[in-house]
Amino acid sequence: MHATAAAIIPAAGSGTRMGFDYPKQFHLLNGIPILIRTVDAFLENPEICRCIVVVPVEWIDTAKDLLKQHGLNISRVTVCTGGRRRQDSVRAGLALLEQTVDIVLVHDGARPLVDQETITRCCQAARTSGAAIAAIPVKDTLKKATEAGQILSTIDRQGLWQAQTPQAIRRLLLQKAYDEAGDADATDEASLLERVGIPVTIVEGSESNLKITRPEDLRLAELIVQRNTPPPSFRIGHGFDAHRFIDGRPLVLGGVTIPHAMGLAGHSDADVVTHALCDALLGAIGARDIGFHYPDSDASFSGVYSITLLEKVLQLVKQRGLCLANADITIICQAPRLAAHIPVMREKLAKGCQTDTDAINVKATTTERMGYTGREEGISCHAVVLLQTRSRE
Ligand code: CTP
Ligand code: MG
């Protein structure tokens, strides 16, 4: 199926009721900005081809940076400047939609907990009926009161709904409603449609799809996120490799060329450290070993810089939804002395694993001249890794 629906996410408000000195949509909800959670929910949905994110003019660059930092697919996102009222922001987004978009879903940037089912329900109902909004039935008894707080009457809650977003509408209908409404005030899209006589269907929303408006909403949202976040899962892996010294080759360890009279023999650059790390990573994901993926018999790996193999292995790790929590590497080497080279090795290995330097520990030891490494016949290396399920934090 080719996605033809687009989302407009108005997030250009100032969040006065929240009382922060920055707009509430940039506040971190359990480590991730509210707006990023919202945009991510729409990019995840198979109906959605594009998201237009509307923010205050001075937040454009920050919004773009955050989308990138949190790994969202920015090729499917357009960030633009909003207007004074929510409807002005939506109108700005609407102007940027391609003609190929059939359904527009407008969704408040401040509703980060929208679930996939609600998005899909709204989109499909709009395809059938023209316009649909998520809403939940009113639960409490409703009272009408004077400004002084004196009850005037009880309102029958039968047939009363609390409107949420998404509000999904055929693009041309929404455009028509905006054109005809002119400058009249409207707090949501449905009210614009009602005004021009376009019928709007209600679809089931969700209690959790709350609009974060006041500080107490934030606390509730934090609890909901905690409840919905699966506990991280972990995988452990171990790798071991050994290579023999030969004359006439550079010595490459952990991606660093180290001055020494001899280098290591091998089909690739014989970087025993990077190989042990690759094997630990492959071991952790249950995907055999480096020789299985990049065999000696393949001429394209002849003399290859092993950090490029590490980068390929990391892709396999990421494809399984995992990332490297930390690695601990022990090089067994009588000579040369490695201490001075360890910081650069850590940097190169960390870069290859897309992680921070402090997640990769490298240490070196001699074997007090015992055994094949002690006799300087070669170098060996052990690596252990811990992988964890990837989050966007
Ligand atoms: N919004 C917008 N442009 C505006 C005003 C609001 O895009 N000129 C967006 C908000 O950023 C929010 C959504 O519309 O995602 C719903 O508005 P609301 O919850 O009222 O947010 P704010 O207007 O920012 O908050 P407040 O009313 O407390 O100032
Ligand atoms: Mg507002």
Side-chain angles (χ1 to χ4, degrees):
M1 188 195 67
H2 181 58
T4 50
I8 297 177
I9 305 195
S14 52
T16 350
R17 286 169 286 179
M18 186 59 78
F20 294 147
D21 55 6
Y22 53 89
K24 62 187 180 185
Q25 54 274 30
F26 292 96
H27 187 73
L28 297 184
L29 174 57
N30 298 33
I32 303 177
I34 288 173
L35 180 59
I36 296 299
R37 288 185 180 273
T38 310
V39 178
D40 191 36
F42 281 84
L43 290 178
E44 286 266 300
N45 193 286
E47 301 271 4
I48 305 293
C49 60
R50 163 155 301 279
C51 280
I52 313 278
V53 182
V54 194
V55 297
V57 64
E58 63 279 21
W59 286 85
I60 294 261
D61 291 341
T62 309
K64 287 183 182 166
D65 286 349
L66 288 173
L67 288 161
K68 253 189 242 150
Q69 263 173 42
H70 290 272
L72 276 70
N73 181 354
I74 49 167
S75 68
R76 292 171 55 212
V77 182
T78 308
V79 181
C80 75
T81 305
R84 188 175 59 82
R85 298 165 301 175
R86 179 183 178 283
Q87 70 198 84
D88 303 319
S89 301
V90 175
R91 195 193 288 268
L94 197 53
L96 298 179
L97 287 181
E98 291 100 356
Q99 307 289 311
T100 47
V101 168
D102 59 350
I103 303 290
V104 184
L105 285 90
V106 180
H107 182 79
D108 296 326
R111 287 185 196 269
L113 302 181
V114 60
D115 56 80
Q116 293 301 319
E117 294 73 22
T118 302
I119 297 176
T120 306
R121 265 198 299 276
C122 286
C123 191
Q124 290 174 352
R127 262 208 186 97
T128 338
S129 71
I133 74 164
I136 50 172
V138 169
K139 281 195 312 243
D140 297 323
T141 299
L142 293 177
K143 303 288 183 193
K144 190 172 173 65
T146 63
E147 272 192 32
Q150 282 291 314
I151 292 180
L152 293 169
S153 62
T154 299
I155 296 170
D156 182 7
R157 67 168 175 249
Q158 183 67 34
L160 289 187
W161 296 80
Q162 274 173 251
Q164 299 186 329
T165 67
Q167 306 211 341
I169 305 116
R170 283 194 201 127
R171 183 175 59 83
L172 294 174
L173 276 186
L174 185 61
Q175 191 63 61
K176 177 170 180 270
Y178 263 93
D179 292 346
E180 290 183 17
D183 205 38
D185 284 331
T187 54
D188 70 350
E189 288 56 56
S191 53
L192 280 177
L193 299 180
E194 290 152 33
R195 198 165 298 157
V196 293
I198 297 169
V200 181
T201 310
I202 280 185
V203 304
E204 190 190 337
S206 150
E207 286 286 347
S208 310
N209 182 19
L210 57 123
K211 179 156 75 72
I212 299 179
T213 308
R214 296 192 172 81
E216 57 269 28
D217 300 323
L218 205 49
R219 283 190 287 278
L220 185 56
E222 280 163 4
L223 291 175
I224 296 173
V225 170
Q226 273 165 30
R227 190 200 60 189
N228 293 349
T229 309
S233 74
F234 299 99
R235 308 270 305 193
I236 191 169
H238 171 258
F240 171 76
D241 196 21
H243 283 266
R244 180 183 290 279
F245 274 126
I246 50 161
D247 288 325
R249 283 201 98 191
L251 175 63
V252 183
L253 296 176
V256 182
T257 305
I258 292 166
H260 192 54
M262 285 184 289
L264 294 172
H267 182 62
S268 64
D269 63 358
D271 182 343
V272 65
V273 176
T274 304
H275 292 181
L277 180 57
C278 287
D279 270 357
L281 292 166
L282 290 168
I285 59 173
R288 307 281 299 260
D289 59 29
I290 192 172
F292 177 81
H293 292 274
Y294 314 109
D296 283 6
S297 52
D298 187 333
S300 67
F301 299 124
S302 167
V304 73
Y305 182 47
S306 295
I307 296 284
T308 60
L309 301 182
L310 178 63
E311 286 163 359
K312 288 180 200 281
V313 168
L314 196 84
Q315 289 312 314
L316 300 176
V317 169
K318 283 174 77 178
Q319 278 164 18
R320 286 159 174 82
L322 293 159
C323 66
L324 179 63
N326 76 306
D328 188 20
I329 299 170
T330 306
I331 311 171
I332 301 141
C333 170
Q334 191 69 43
R337 278 196 59 78
L338 299 179
H341 303 285
I342 283 178
V344 195
M345 283 188 215
R346 293 178 72 187
E347 264 170 43
K348 299 229 183 230
L349 295 170
K351 195 153 171 265
C353 292
Q354 297 179 12
T355 186
D356 301 328
T357 312
D358 65 2
I360 311 274
N361 190 55
V362 177
K363 51 199 185 310
T365 181
T366 71
T367 49
E368 302 280 338
R369 304 213 161 270
M370 294 180 289
Y372 64 89
T373 52
R375 291 189 297 271
E376 296 184 37
E377 290 166 16
I379 298 179
S380 66
C381 184
H382 287 273
V384 284
V385 297
L386 183 69
L387 305 185
Q388 66 179 21
T389 36
R390 215 139 47 99
S391 73
R392 288 231 163 77
E393 277 143 277

